[in-house]
Amino acid sequence: MASEVFSYESLVHAVAGAMGSVTAMTVFFPLDTARLRLQVDENRKAKSTPAILADIVREEGLLAPYRGWFPVICSLCCSNFVYFYCYHCLKASLLKGRQSTSSTDLITGIAAGVVNVLVTTPLWVVNTRLKLQGSKFHNADIRPTNYSGILDAFAQIIRGEGVGALWNGTFPSLLLVLNPAIQFMIYETLKRWLRREVPRELSSLEVFVIGAIAKAVSTTVTYPLQTIQSILRFGQCGTPTEKSKLLSSLRTIKSLLVNRARKHGMLGIFKGLEAKLLQTVLTAALMFLLYEKIVSLTFRVMGLGNSHLRKR
């Protein structure tokens, strides 16, 4: 087990995943800004993604779509490093040289996701606050914040809301480990199908397309919970009063979903999905493309050629 946990191959996958995700998110960051604004600001009228971005630029300035880029990139880098490292360590431990299956990919993805959520949720809470700070909201009930940076945001949240506030949205986040788990299961399954006759490197177009398909399916299935996760991380939904944290979390999620559906109809819980799909599908497709190229190049430089393909 120790050899898999501290293997060089796991480190290569983790670094490649982090580098690919950071680059892809930077390219498509404005699309994520539009998605988050639609999820959190209930009174903002749902429009097409270009229209939302045009409104944000007109109201808040040209650089507004990139507000909060640095904390998001820091969080994403740490999160994907942890996820890819855990995913490949666990997968190597389970398979021990055998061919992977869809069920193995799903189980490994869920386990890696749980570790990732517990370790990196505080970073995502802080970056959500920083990304929305200074925004012009259409909902007058939202309280403005004044953080000078990542460390100041941590300090203010702990001082004003308690340490537990750094893990706001953890329960829906744990449910949302299904998102990357489903994504990786579909991605790896499609990859095995395309390489069913002989191990080979997939073309850039093949990687891009199957990465987009995998993310589109996983995002659509889990989107309502992603909306609740964003609202909870923003910290504007009130403090639960029940003694049982699990029961409190379940009731909070149910309440937020029901209230949103009552205000905006059933489609209200999917508000911002178009922006999310546009952003996340393109980002995931580009991320997988860069990830595969970095891994392939690294193993080729190490002199392993295509031998690593048989382990996947």
Side-chain angles (χ1 to χ4, degrees):
M1 177 65 181
S3 61
E4 285 88 5
V5 172
F6 299 107
S7 72
Y8 188 75
E9 288 191 14
S10 295
L11 182 62
V12 170
H13 285 292
V15 171
M19 290 175 63
S21 63
V22 164
T23 304
M25 176 57 84
T26 299
V27 172
F28 297 114
F29 192 82
L31 300 179
D32 192 56
T33 297
R35 180 272 309 175
L36 186 59
R37 202 66 65 84
L38 282 169
Q39 286 182 326
V40 171
D41 192 357
E42 290 189 0
N43 291 342
R44 181 177 290 275
K45 184 179 178 182
K47 300 178 181 178
S48 67
T49 301
I52 291 294
L53 287 173
D55 286 347
I56 293 172
V57 169
R58 184 174 61 255
E59 295 170 2
E60 304 169 33
L62 189 61
L63 296 180
Y66 274 92
R67 180 183 291 116
W69 171 83
F70 182 71
V72 169
I73 290 302
C74 289
S75 301
L76 188 67
C77 183
C78 294
S79 180
N80 273 14
F81 183 92
V82 171
Y83 189 89
F84 275 84
Y85 196 93
C86 291
Y87 181 84
H88 286 282
C89 283
L90 293 169
K91 196 170 180 179
S93 300
L94 286 172
L95 294 177
K96 297 187 182 302
R98 299 190 303 272
Q99 179 70 27
S100 182
T101 63
S102 297
S103 59
T104 303
D105 294 329
L106 184 63
I107 293 169
T108 306
I110 291 172
V114 170
V115 174
N116 182 39
V117 165
L118 296 177
V119 171
T120 64
T121 288
L123 288 170
W124 288 111
V125 168
V126 167
N127 91 54
T128 299
R129 305 279 185 100
L130 288 171
K131 190 172 181 180
L132 292 169
Q133 181 169 276
S135 303
K136 295 185 181 299
F137 293 106
H138 294 195
N139 186 350
D141 295 331
I142 293 178
R143 302 182 302 275
T145 55
N146 185 27
Y147 305 128
S148 61
I150 295 176
L151 295 180
D152 182 53
F154 271 111
Q156 285 197 43
I157 292 171
I158 293 171
R159 186 168 57 248
E161 305 171 46
V163 176
L166 292 173
W167 276 268
N168 280 351
T170 297
F171 190 72
S173 296
L174 287 173
L175 296 178
L176 278 169
V177 300
L178 285 171
N179 184 310
I182 292 171
Q183 173 189 346
F184 269 76
M185 179 185 70
I186 295 173
Y187 178 77
E188 295 289 350
T189 300
L190 290 174
K191 221 168 40 167
R192 282 192 295 273
W193 181 77
L194 289 172
R195 297 196 310 222
R196 60 192 180 278
E197 294 181 358
V198 60
R200 65 180 177 89
E201 284 191 23
L202 301 183
S203 69
S204 298
L205 180 60
E206 286 174 325
V207 172
F208 191 89
V209 169
I210 65 174
I213 292 171
K215 193 60 178 179
V217 174
S218 64
T219 297
T220 303
V221 169
T222 60
Y223 188 75
L225 280 174
Q226 292 182 52
T227 298
I228 300 308
Q229 179 192 57
S230 295
I231 294 171
L232 289 170
R233 283 175 173 172
F234 191 37
Q236 302 277 351
C237 63
T239 305
T241 57
E242 293 89 344
K243 291 183 180 179
S244 168
K245 291 185 178 181
L246 177 59
L247 185 60
S248 171
S249 297
L250 287 170
R251 287 179 176 172
T252 301
I253 292 170
K254 178 184 176 182
S255 174
L256 289 171
L257 284 171
V258 170
N259 288 340
R260 201 171 185 91
R262 283 176 179 170
K263 283 184 179 179
H264 308 287
M266 285 305 295
L267 291 180
I269 61 176
F270 287 94
K271 184 183 178 185
L273 177 59
E274 181 251 352
K276 178 65 175 177
L277 279 176
L278 186 59
Q279 176 262 326
T280 199
V281 168
L282 291 174
T283 300
L286 181 57
M287 182 272 289
F288 274 120
L289 174 58
L290 294 172
Y291 159 71
E292 292 288 353
K293 295 303 179 184
I294 293 170
V295 168
S296 176
L297 177 61
T298 304
F299 283 129
R300 193 176 295 119
V301 170
M302 290 168 62
L304 297 179
N306 290 336
S307 62
H308 68 287
L309 296 175
R310 298 185 181 90
K311 301 179 181 180
R312 303 169 64 193

